[in-house]
Amino acid sequence: METLNSELIKGNCYSKEEIESFGCKYIKETTITKYYRKEDILYIFDTKCIDSSDKYKLLTIHTD
């Protein structure tokens, strides 16, 4: 699993509150993804998580 200097782990599911507790700021949402940013790191989440309907699955982590 990929972490890239963060505590968020690719493949795990997180609630909005958990994502924001890591210092991530909401950027935008499409029909299937949500985008959050923390400094120079972009996190892309799937809007649906199989484990829970109120959580988002972290799909990928990009750095600038």
Side-chain angles (χ1 to χ4, degrees):
M1 300 252 169
E2 182 178 347
T3 57
L4 290 181
N5 299 324
S6 73
E7 297 175 22
L8 294 172
I9 299 171
K10 184 176 167 185
N12 286 0
C13 294
Y14 300 94
S15 68
K16 176 185 174 190
E17 293 77 20
E18 289 173 316
I19 296 168
E20 291 175 351
S21 75
F22 287 106
C24 298
K25 306 270 190 237
Y26 173 79
I27 302 297
K28 72 175 188 173
E29 180 176 358
T30 67
T31 55
I32 59 172
T33 56
K34 279 189 175 265
Y35 295 82
Y36 283 85
R37 179 173 287 283
K38 180 179 179 182
E39 298 169 4
D40 63 343
I41 303 172
L42 177 66
Y43 300 94
I44 302 173
F45 293 86
D46 188 341
T47 56
K48 300 197 186 328
C49 181
I50 295 171
D51 300 336
S52 176
S53 63
D54 66 335
K55 292 191 174 187
Y56 312 113
K57 182 175 182 180
L58 181 54
L59 297 175
T60 190
I61 302 170
H62 292 282
T63 57
D64 291 342

